[in-house]
Amino acid sequence: AQTVTQSQPEMSVQEAETVTLSCTYDTSESDYYLFWYKQPPSRQMILVIRQEAYKQQNATENRFSVNFQKAAKSFSLKISDSQLGDAAMYFCAYRSPSPYNTDKLIFGTGTRLQVFP
Amino acid sequence: GAGVSQTPSNKVTEKGKYVELRCDPISGHTALYWYRQSLGQGPEFLIYFQGTGAADDSGLPNDRFFAVRPEGSVSTLKIQRTERGDSAVYLCASSIFPGHSEQYFGPGTRLTVT
């Protein structure tokens, strides 16, 4: 069974600085998807960035980028130029490639990010 | 367009009672998912519908939990004989089709069992 581990319960960053959130996962599959979701106090999960395992290139979305190390099964999120609105819980998630067996997301326990002015 | 909506936003019930939680997916989305998020944890998968049928219900914790999606749109999660351990936020998500597309989440229903 696949597992996702986030070893940082809390992180903090100064506004305009850069912060990196860690995520490791375990799987025997060779192809899969990885995600970072943001959950503000409103509870609604918002997709930040996704990565297909077969792609060598790290995904980037504006100030958000990932460092995907497939051999090490590591998937960290880098937030550049941090803003007050980035403060939230961040969850790393894994999804198997085939929709015909299951299409569920497997989440880590989350990292609470605080942003200080 | 409208996102995924869930009702009620909050539900308080007494131990032993029956509750129904409703999810309205984004129009046209064929896949629908239920997750449960306990305090301080990440969401855990409960069940996934493709159309009207449950394609994977392996996450339902026991037979007190049941979910339906009779017309392939709105879904209801039903919990019988609620227990205090059922207290959590229940999240619903939908996607256009399973596999490659993003899952869009609703704001969740916070269930408190007293």
Side-chain angles (χ1 to χ4, degrees):
Chain A
Q2 295 82 19
T3 58
V4 176
T5 302
Q6 293 179 252
S7 58
Q8 305 157 316
E10 288 192 11
M11 292 284 285
S12 60
V13 64
Q14 206 88 28
E15 205 175 1
E17 297 295 309
T18 296
V19 64
T20 299
L21 308 184
S22 301
C23 173
T24 58
Y25 59 94
D26 190 29
T27 184
S28 58
E29 296 172 326
S30 58
D31 193 19
Y32 45 85
Y33 300 91
L34 295 166
F35 306 85
W36 278 98
Y37 278 88
K38 172 184 178 181
Q39 187 178 43
S42 65
R43 298 196 306 242
Q44 189 144 8
M45 301 285 279
I46 302 163
L47 179 65
V48 174
I49 199 166
R50 61 180 280 166
Q51 174 82 43
E52 289 90 345
Y54 66 87
K55 289 187 176 178
Q56 302 264 359
Q57 191 170 4
N58 288 325
T60 299
E61 287 288 341
N62 301 313
R63 298 182 295 107
F64 300 87
S65 61
V66 298
N67 183 3
F68 173 49
Q69 301 288 328
K70 191 172 184 179
K73 296 180 182 174
S74 169
F75 182 61
S76 61
L77 174 70
K78 185 170 85 170
I79 307 174
S80 304
D81 187 25
S82 298
Q83 300 175 359
L84 294 176
D86 295 333
M89 284 292 291
Y90 286 81
F91 291 96
C92 179
Y94 173 102
R95 192 171 85 195
S96 293
S98 170
Y100 304 107
N101 295 325
T102 183
D103 197 36
K104 64 185 177 186
L105 289 167
I106 300 169
F107 288 89
T109 52
T111 296
R112 180 175 302 281
L113 178 67
Q114 293 181 303
V115 182
F116 295 103
Chain B
V4 177
S5 63
Q6 293 186 245
T7 54
S9 177
N10 292 282
K11 175 73 176 176
V12 180
T13 190
E14 291 180 350
K15 179 175 177 295
K17 299 288 189 184
Y18 168 83
V19 297
E20 290 189 352
L21 312 179
R22 176 187 168 109
C23 173
D24 253 292
I26 294 172
S27 177
H29 281 198
T30 64
L32 185 146
Y33 315 80
W34 284 99
Y35 294 85
R36 179 168 72 172
Q37 186 175 18
S38 301
L39 192 62
Q41 300 295 317
E44 290 181 306
F45 170 78
L46 295 176
I47 187 169
Y48 145 55
F49 287 90
Q50 174 55 26
T52 60
D56 181 359
D57 64 358
S58 62
L60 295 177
N62 51 59
D63 61 5
R64 295 187 298 105
F65 288 74
F66 189 70
V68 295
R69 196 186 183 199
E71 297 177 357
S73 178
V74 171
S75 175
T76 305
L77 178 66
K78 309 180 182 198
I79 310 174
Q80 297 178 319
R81 304 184 305 280
T82 52
E83 301 176 356
R84 293 196 179 89
D86 298 335
S87 297
V89 173
Y90 289 82
L91 295 168
C92 177
S94 70
S95 68
I96 296 174
F97 53 86
H100 297 282
S101 62
E102 177 184 346
Q103 293 185 20
Y104 294 85
F105 282 81
T109 294
R110 182 180 297 281
L111 175 66
T112 303
V113 182
T114 62

